[in-house]
Structure formats: C-alpha cells, structure tokens
Amino acid sequence: MSPDALEEIWPPYALRVEAGDLTLSVLRERDVPEMVTLALEGIHDPGTMPFLFPWTAAPPAEIPANYVRYFGRVLAGQASGAMSLQLVVRRDGEAVGIQALEGEEVSTTRTVETGSWLVRREQRKGIGSRMRRMACALAFDHLGIERVTSAAYLDNPASLAVSRAVGYQDNGRTWVARQGESAEQQRFVLTPETFRRGEPIRVEGAVAVRAFYGLD
C-alpha cells in the first residue's frame, strides 16, 4: 500500500489548513498519544468545567483509554452529511489542541458547530481566536458552509470573548445539566457577512472533503 493510500480511502486525512505558524489537520490514530499528553497536562482550571460532556473530569488513569474510544466513535460516526472534523492544532509543528467542525445533515442545513480546546500553557496568546478563524474560513470559503454556530457557558469568558471577536452574533441562551447542576449557555451564530477574518489561510484537500460529506 502506498503512503498516500489511506488519504485516498479517507479524504479528511488529506485536509490541511495553514496560517503563519499554525496548521490544522484531521485527528489520526498516530496523533492520539499527543492529545492524551496534552489532556493530562491540563486544558482548563480544575475548578471549572467548560465542556458539555465533562470528559476531563475522569480520573487521569482513565483518560488515555477513554480518548482512544472517543477517537473510534468519531471515525464510526462519519458519513455523507454527518461531519466531525477534529482538527489537530499545531504551532511550529507542536500539537497544542483541537479545533472541531461538527454537524448533522450538513449537506442540507449547510450549518456546522465549532468547538475547541487548547493546552493551558498556550492559552492567552491569541491562538484560540486564530484557530477558530482558520476553521471558519475553511468552512465558508472551501466547504460551502453557510452558518457556523457555537456555545459557551456564561462562566467561560475566554470562549465567549473569542466568539465575539470572530464575529459570532448572540443567538439566545439555553440551560443544560452540568455535573448534576443547571448551567446557562450563550448560543452564537456566525455568517460570512459577520465573520471578522484573520490572516489568509492555505488549504489542501478541501475538494475531496466536500465530496465526502455531500457538500458539492
């Protein structure tokens, strides 16, 4: 089997987005150990929980196997119209986090949701807004997406600030159960008209990804 055969079989693996010192590429099995290392290093204050599914609250000994199971579910859930691009964020070649684009029936709704996490030592350096802008530019300019949504708990000011800086507009609030308690989330929606672009991006492999998800 040739080195590029897997990318031909699974087109998302050939996707690559670059801007300055940042690159985004789809999570692969070989990336999982790095993601586990970052998660164990710490990606948020232990006293808070920014995620709807509190996966980082698991005992450290359970996180490695849990992440492998998660990776398997992501792969199994892919289909025409069902998108889950878990993009590994690298800065100067070093993995620092994940930027996701996810959606159901995307070929019909033309809508995806962004989600992300960044290792704590790389936070407050502007990387969060840069990688979000890169993902949104990919969605609008290369994948044929028309709307990008997001949500953040009201006690997660960093995420709220990134959404607003990128141009997302308030889209109502919802209440969800978070670790046994009710928590309020701010919903957002972004369109090409409100998108505040960042640095130019370079993209490889998007044409095959559009076809893979039925977006042509």
Side-chain angles (χ1 to χ4, degrees):
M1 182 176 288
S2 69
D4 295 330
L6 188 55
E7 285 83 352
E8 296 170 5
I9 295 169
W10 197 257
Y13 282 162
L15 182 64
R16 184 178 178 88
V17 185
E18 300 179 345
D21 59 353
L22 296 186
T23 61
L24 310 181
S25 59
V26 171
L27 177 70
R28 302 177 66 154
E29 186 174 15
R30 66 191 183 199
D31 301 313
V32 169
E34 290 177 286
M35 298 300 102
V36 169
T37 297
L38 294 179
L40 292 174
E41 181 179 338
I43 56 182
H44 62 81
D45 187 323
T48 65
M49 177 48 66
F51 305 124
L52 182 60
F53 179 74
W55 63 279
T56 52
E62 297 179 9
I63 286 179
N66 283 351
Y67 204 90
V68 174
R69 295 184 186 100
Y70 166 74
F71 171 73
R73 290 195 299 272
V74 168
L75 279 183
Q78 305 285 322
S80 180
M83 178 187 292
S84 183
L85 290 175
Q86 305 295 316
L87 300 166
V88 177
V89 182
R90 296 183 181 277
R91 184 186 187 199
D92 289 329
E94 179 185 1
V96 294
I98 288 284
Q99 174 66 62
L101 288 172
E102 302 175 296
E104 297 293 333
E105 303 294 341
V106 294
S107 58
T108 301
T109 66
R110 300 281 163 165
T111 302
V112 295
E113 176 107 351
T114 50
S116 63
W117 58 263
L118 189 64
V119 69
R120 289 185 73 185
R121 59 180 159 79
E122 295 294 340
Q123 294 173 13
R124 298 180 181 84
K125 297 180 180 180
I127 297 174
S129 59
R130 289 178 63 202
M131 66 196 216
R132 184 93 70 93
R133 284 187 167 101
M134 291 170 68
C136 293
L138 167 68
F140 290 140
D141 301 341
H142 299 272
L143 299 183
I145 297 299
E146 297 174 0
R147 285 166 298 277
V148 178
T149 62
S150 189
Y153 291 114
L154 297 189
D155 59 4
N156 188 355
S159 181
L160 295 170
V162 167
S163 293
R164 292 188 169 118
V166 172
Y168 289 72
Q169 304 298 299
D170 289 1
N171 194 34
R173 293 183 179 180
T174 56
W175 283 261
V176 298
R178 178 174 62 170
Q179 296 182 289
E181 297 182 357
S182 178
E184 192 173 3
Q185 284 190 328
Q186 175 67 55
R187 299 288 306 168
F188 295 99
V189 62
L190 180 71
T191 62
E193 293 74 26
T194 64
F195 181 31
R196 297 173 187 161
R197 295 176 175 273
E199 58 206 309
I201 65 170
R202 300 174 298 281
V203 178
E204 297 176 2
V207 172
V209 169
R210 283 181 65 125
F212 183 79
Y213 290 118
L215 288 164
D216 284 337

